[in-house]
Amino acid sequence: LAVVNAASSNNHFRFRLSTGDDVDTIARLVQGLAVYEKEPDAVNVTPENYRCDGGSNEPLFYCLLLEDADVPEGTEPYSCGMAFIYFGYELGK
């Protein structure tokens, strides 16, 4: 993941590995997806859950954030997408 953090960018967008400071952004993006899917009440994970589960020495997930890096100088990049990387899967009900 460090390679992604260092090398995945172009003039407009870049990927970076999230940090504990990004939990509100992750929550915003997850909630936005739920609203898009017409399931706004389906999300029951809080920013603190993301901090606890993703911010430990043995995280349950990693999150890559896609940032719009084409912003005026002195302005923070805006996270507009994400990808979760986690170690588990469900085969069905």
Side-chain angles (χ1 to χ4, degrees):
L1 293 174
V3 172
V4 169
N5 225 17
S8 295
S9 66
N10 65 29
N11 292 339
H12 303 288
F13 296 98
R14 70 172 173 232
F15 278 104
R16 70 173 178 82
L17 188 59
S18 67
T19 69
D21 294 334
D22 295 312
V23 294
D24 290 327
T25 298
I26 294 169
R28 174 181 58 82
L29 291 168
V30 169
Q31 187 62 45
L33 178 60
V35 168
Y36 174 80
E37 294 290 338
K38 297 179 178 44
E39 297 278 345
D41 298 326
V43 178
N44 58 11
V45 181
T46 67
E48 191 54 38
N49 294 133
Y50 293 124
R51 185 182 322 280
C52 179
D53 294 340
S56 69
N57 289 337
E58 294 182 21
L60 299 178
F61 71 89
Y62 294 95
C63 182
L64 295 176
L65 293 174
L66 177 67
E67 293 183 335
D68 179 357
D70 193 19
V71 295
E73 188 174 328
T75 304
E76 290 289 317
Y78 181 74
S79 295
C80 54
M82 69 178 178
F84 268 90
I85 302 163
Y86 55 94
F87 307 99
Y89 59 92
E90 183 177 317
L91 294 176
K93 292 184 178 188

